[in-house]
Amino acid sequence: IYYALRSEGFRKVRPYSYAPLTYALVSMKNGDKFYGTWTQATIYRMGNNKGKIPFVDDPAAGQTKMFSLSQVSSIWNGHTRIIKHPDEKYVYVWVVQKGCIFRADYDPEKHLLKTPVLVCGSPDQSGFKEGVGGNARISNPWSGCFVLNPDYVKHPRPDGDKYDFIFTGSQDNDCVWRVTPDGVCKLMAGRSNPNSDGKTWGYIDGDPLTEARFQQPKGITYDETDDMIYVGDYKSHSIRYITTE
C-alpha cells in the first residue's frame, strides 16, 4: 500500500504498509482502513494510526481479521473488491469470479465490519437474470460505484439511504447493472437487440436498454455534479458515458 501527498501534486509515492492487500482498500473518515486479500477473500482492518504518516506497519496497530468469504473463494483464488457507502453506513464486498455481492454494515464505535449478508446474485450460480436478492443472476461483477437516486431524496426511505449501486458485469454479461439498497437488481445498460444477431455484446451507442452494447466493461464511475456515468469499455478500447436527457 502506498500513499501520495496532495501538497506534492501526487507526484511521488511512498510505502504505507506491507500488508498482503489485493485490489481494494477503503478508508473511513475516522481513520479505519479495510482491505481485501486473495486468501479465502478475507477482509482485514488495518490499525488506526490517527492520521500520522508514515504508517509502515506500526506494530502497535497491527491488523484484525473482519471476515472471510470462504464460501465463494478457495485459497489463492479471490479477486476481492470492497467499496464503501458514501455515508459510510456499510461496504459492499464481492469476488470477481463469483456472481454475487455482499453487504457488511460498519460499526464506527467498535471499529469493525459486521457479518456480511447477500445483496444480490448467487455464490454457486452465474448468469443473467434480473431479480431480487438471491433470485438475481449476475456474472463477473468487476467494478462499481454508488449513485444518488433523486427519488430517495424526494421520498425518503425509512433507512435514510439515498444511493443505489451500479456495477459492471464483464465477461458473459457485457452490461451495467443497478441494484437498490433492498437488493432489487436490474439491467441499466447493454445487451440490446439480442434477437437480431444472437449477440449480447458489441460496440453500439444509443438508448441504454434498447440499443447500447458493451464488450467486457470493467470500469465505472459517477460524476454527481453533472449526473454523468462513465464506463470503461475494455474490449472496445473506449470510455463511454451514460446520462439522462
Side-chain angles (χ1 to χ4, degrees):
I1 303 169
Y2 294 86
Y3 72 92
L5 298 176
R6 183 183 300 276
S7 60
E8 297 176 343
F10 306 111
R11 292 187 300 271
K12 184 176 182 178
V13 295
R14 300 175 178 86
Y16 184 78
S17 173
Y18 296 102
L21 178 145
T22 57
Y23 298 106
L25 175 149
V26 298
S27 180
M28 302 300 185
K29 293 176 182 177
N30 65 2
D32 286 339
K33 297 173 181 64
F34 301 95
Y35 59 92
T37 68
W38 282 75
T39 308
Q40 294 187 329
T42 301
I43 302 298
Y44 288 97
R45 184 191 71 213
M46 183 187 298
N48 190 339
N49 68 328
K50 303 186 185 304
K52 294 183 295 182
I53 293 177
F55 180 87
V56 194
D57 291 330
D58 182 353
Q63 63 179 13
T64 305
K65 180 178 177 180
M66 294 289 98
F67 54 79
S68 293
L69 297 179
S70 54
Q71 68 270 47
V72 300
S73 178
S74 59
I75 295 177
W76 303 112
N77 194 32
H79 292 204
T80 312
R81 305 286 203 264
I82 179 171
I83 186 170
K84 70 174 181 177
H85 184 273
D87 295 330
E88 300 188 347
K89 295 173 177 287
Y90 51 83
V91 301
Y92 278 164
V93 185
W94 67 94
V95 175
V96 170
Q97 295 92 336
K98 298 294 182 176
C100 56
I101 296 176
F102 294 86
R103 164 179 169 163
D105 290 343
Y106 173 56
D107 187 331
E109 295 183 358
K110 295 182 179 180
H111 304 277
L112 55 78
L113 296 174
K114 299 181 180 179
T115 302
V117 296
L118 184 69
V119 174
C120 63
S122 168
D124 303 314
Q125 298 181 27
S126 298
F128 176 84
K129 178 186 174 184
E130 296 178 306
V132 181
N135 291 321
R137 292 292 177 267
I138 62 178
S139 180
N140 290 101
W142 198 271
S143 63
C145 62
F146 287 90
V147 296
L148 183 71
N149 188 325
D151 289 338
Y152 301 159
V153 178
K154 294 179 182 178
H155 310 287
R157 293 171 46 89
D159 59 8
D161 205 333
K162 299 184 180 70
Y163 296 87
D164 286 337
F165 185 68
I166 59 174
F167 65 94
T168 58
S170 188
Q171 293 100 321
D172 302 324
N173 272 186
D174 298 296
C175 68
V176 176
W177 289 95
R178 178 187 291 266
V179 60
T180 71
D182 301 311
V184 179
C185 193
K186 299 195 60 138
L187 176 67
M188 184 176 182
R191 301 180 63 89
S192 301
N193 303 315
N195 295 328
S196 60
D197 58 8
K199 297 178 181 177
T200 59
W201 55 268
Y203 180 86
I204 301 176
D205 290 332
D207 182 274
L209 292 175
T210 61
E211 298 173 305
R213 287 189 190 174
F214 300 92
Q215 285 188 281
Q216 296 187 26
K218 290 190 174 182
I220 191 166
T221 190
Y222 172 60
D223 185 348
E224 189 173 326
T225 304
D226 55 10
D227 194 28
M228 192 82 74
I229 296 168
Y230 295 94
V231 181
D233 200 354
Y234 175 60
K235 285 291 186 177
S236 297
H237 307 285
S238 61
I239 296 176
R240 320 264 301 270
Y241 70 87
I242 304 171
T243 188
T244 303
E245 298 181 352

